[in-house]
Amino acid sequence: MKVLVIGSGGREHALVRKIGKSSRVEEVFVIRGNEAMAREATIVDIAEHDHDAIVQFATEQAIDLVVVGPEQPLIDGLSDRLTAAGIKTFGPNSSAAQMEGSKDFAKALMAKYNIPTAQYETIENKADAIQYVKQHGTPIVIKYDGLAAGKGVVVAMDEATAMDAINDFYTEEHAKVVFEEYLEGEEFSLMVMVNDDFCIPFDTIAQDHKRAYDGDKGPNTGGMGAYCPVSHISDDMIERTNQEIVYPVVQAMHKEGLNYFGILYVGAIVTIEGPKVIEFNARFGDPEAQVLLRRLETDFIELIEAVENKQPLDLMWRNKTICGVVLASNGYPGSYDKGHVVKGYDYQTDYIVSALKQEDGEWVTNGGRVMIALGEGDSLQEAQANSYQLVEQIQCDGMFYRKDIGNKGLV
């Protein structure tokens, strides 16, 4: 097979690497990719938003399968375009991608089908939003309705933070913003392979670390690290999540005619009332994809084909714990500089790259989250120690990282 991956970040690097290991795959292309993928795929210099050129390339190259990594092309209808051209595409159509593209859409669907989630209110007027916070108090969770690259959620523990979020999200008087009750509990990420009314949930979950700094302090980010498996969340709780959330939402999407084909990311939380949904994404989580795909033994192409054919498949996992620590540019998720020299990286497979490029024979930073170091071991302690050993092998004066990735699993 010839497979084309869409995207340029760490999630897509993980997908390129996993797909390239399939016995079914002869060649992997990536649009646009990053330079660290050059030894694992053919990098194609087409912009992710240039759907005409992507469809033309896939047609001319007789691509057998396209795997769309990031959310923006899904929301913008790339899967619709490719499917209409007769090209098999793993990644939901634009209607189905609203599960991520609109927080209000997802919350309304959960309310309609009684899927457990936080109480919420969607408010489209800034003055009403201010009044709502004053009436309901804090803590409160405030979510911009559309895409915001992992930075459209503010967990406001005090009124000042809530008001800052309102000012940020309502750039004009009117915008669509979701206000949710604050839920206490342990969060986890569950990936589900979906084909309309059929699904294969991953039976290994991951735990992401969203806040920028140690101890879950600082602003929300796209994710500063992750690990799997999550041994302190029981198999019974995962099964409850499947029974109370995953299977009902798959049936709900089917009844709504979304015809979902791709990965559904379930961000869940264990509350005293049981598991509840925090958010859905229409693609793999990042950095969860990096640790989960490293641990998954099952051939990813065979998994996609099993889902396509609606055939159950027992997933095989390596008997290892994986811990991934993100190295990010100083200032992320706010403003940051690019172009800092990175030493110690030379295509080693223990690193997955989101934003490096080469200048004058050296690697330099080229984005917010730059790379992730993947340690593995027979225990979480060992995997964590190995990941931080890999982190220390990278020298750069323009990056930072959290020093407590995985600690929740050690308590």
Side-chain angles (χ1 to χ4, degrees):
M1 293 176 66
K2 287 182 173 181
V3 179
L4 169 62
V5 175
I6 305 296
S8 61
R11 167 184 46 233
E12 290 76 40
H13 192 182
L15 283 164
V16 161
R17 184 170 293 169
K18 182 66 178 170
I19 289 166
K21 290 180 178 176
S22 171
S23 60
R24 306 283 307 282
V25 173
E26 179 183 324
E27 189 167 8
V28 182
F29 298 88
V30 60
I31 291 176
R32 158 179 296 175
N34 65 59
E35 290 177 55
M37 302 183 196
R39 296 184 181 180
E40 296 164 289
T42 300
I43 294 172
V44 182
D45 190 17
I46 296 173
E48 289 172 22
H49 58 78
D50 192 346
H51 294 188
D52 289 341
I54 291 172
V55 172
Q56 182 179 348
F57 175 84
T59 303
E60 289 175 353
Q61 290 291 328
I63 296 293
D64 298 292
L65 173 68
V66 178
V67 178
V68 184
E71 58 273 26
Q72 193 69 58
L74 296 169
I75 302 294
D76 293 343
L78 177 58
S79 292
D80 309 61
R81 291 287 311 278
L82 288 161
T83 302
I87 299 156
K88 187 192 299 184
T89 304
F90 186 71
N93 61 56
S94 57
S95 294
Q98 290 182 91
M99 293 296 289
E100 175 171 5
S102 170
K103 305 291 190 297
D104 179 63
F105 177 89
K107 295 294 281 193
L109 182 136
M110 285 186 274
K112 180 176 179 179
Y113 290 94
N114 298 312
I115 293 162
T117 188
Q119 302 269 330
Y120 82 104
E121 185 97 20
T122 299
I123 302 173
E124 300 189 37
N125 174 284
K126 185 176 181 178
D128 291 344
I130 292 169
Q131 188 63 30
Y132 184 87
V133 169
K134 288 187 177 296
Q135 285 179 344
H136 286 78
T138 55
I140 193 168
V141 180
I142 305 173
K143 298 180 176 180
Y144 183 72
D145 180 62
L147 293 180
K151 290 167 276 188
V153 177
V154 173
V155 181
M157 303 306 289
D158 55 66
E159 187 174 298
T161 305
M163 293 305 163
D164 286 345
I166 288 171
N167 288 327
D168 287 344
F169 292 160
Y170 293 90
T171 50
E172 299 176 359
E173 188 62 27
H174 295 280
K176 191 178 280 191
V177 180
V178 174
F179 292 76
E180 288 186 357
E181 69 169 322
Y182 173 76
L183 297 177
E184 289 269 11
E186 195 80 11
E187 297 183 29
F188 64 94
S189 306
L190 172 61
M191 308 299 152
V192 187
M193 307 280 285
V194 180
N195 180 9
D196 194 23
D197 60 348
F198 175 84
C199 69
I200 299 176
F202 278 22
D203 47 5
T204 284
I205 59 172
Q207 191 164 59
D208 185 15
H209 298 63
K210 285 288 185 197
R211 298 297 190 101
Y213 310 127
D214 290 3
D216 290 332
K217 307 292 185 187
N220 257 22
T221 71
M224 292 298 295
Y227 68 96
C228 72
V230 184
S231 59
H232 62 285
I233 295 177
S234 68
D235 290 344
D236 287 346
M237 183 55 66
I238 298 171
E239 183 56 28
R240 271 192 71 179
T241 305
N242 286 332
Q243 295 296 334
E244 297 174 23
I245 293 172
V246 171
Y247 302 137
V249 81
V250 168
Q251 291 305 314
M253 293 191 299
H254 167 68
K255 288 173 184 172
E256 294 295 314
L258 298 183
N259 193 26
Y260 199 107
F261 182 56
I263 280 273
L264 180 71
Y265 167 113
V266 181
I269 186 168
V270 180
T271 73
I272 56 171
E273 297 169 339
K276 294 187 178 185
V277 176
I278 292 177
E279 65 174 350
F280 293 116
N281 290 337
R283 38 74 191 180
F284 264 115
D286 180 346
E288 294 97 331
Q290 289 91 309
V291 296
L292 287 165
L293 292 174
R294 173 73 169 251
R295 189 165 185 263
L296 181 67
E297 265 192 353
T298 301
D299 186 308
F300 193 65
I301 299 301
E302 290 181 7
L303 176 53
I304 289 175
E305 290 185 342
V307 175
E308 181 189 16
N309 297 322
K310 298 187 177 182
Q311 294 176 336
L313 182 68
D314 290 330
L315 300 183
M316 302 295 292
W317 301 92
R318 295 173 58 224
N319 190 26
K320 294 286 183 183
T321 296
I322 313 296
C323 181
V325 178
V326 169
L327 293 93
S329 293
N330 291 338
Y332 173 81
S335 59
Y336 54 83
D337 294 327
K338 299 179 181 180
H340 289 275
V341 174
V342 174
K343 296 188 180 297
Y345 174 70
D346 187 28
Y347 299 101
Q348 303 99 311
T349 56
D350 287 329
Y351 303 98
I352 290 180
V353 171
S354 302
L356 281 179
K357 68 175 183 177
Q358 289 192 305
E359 282 184 1
D360 301 324
E362 292 188 299
W363 291 104
V364 299
T365 60
N366 193 39
R369 289 184 296 171
V370 177
M371 60 200 303
I372 185 169
L374 295 179
E376 62 177 63
D378 294 327
S379 65
L380 178 53
Q381 290 96 327
E382 186 180 349
Q384 185 191 55
N386 288 337
S387 62
Y388 280 106
Q389 192 172 14
L390 289 163
V391 167
E392 289 167 11
Q393 292 173 19
I394 300 296
Q395 294 95 48
C396 177
D397 62 5
M399 295 197 296
F400 77 102
Y401 57 91
R402 281 183 58 165
K403 299 173 181 64
D404 61 349
I405 302 300
N407 278 6
K408 290 179 183 178
L410 301 176
V411 176

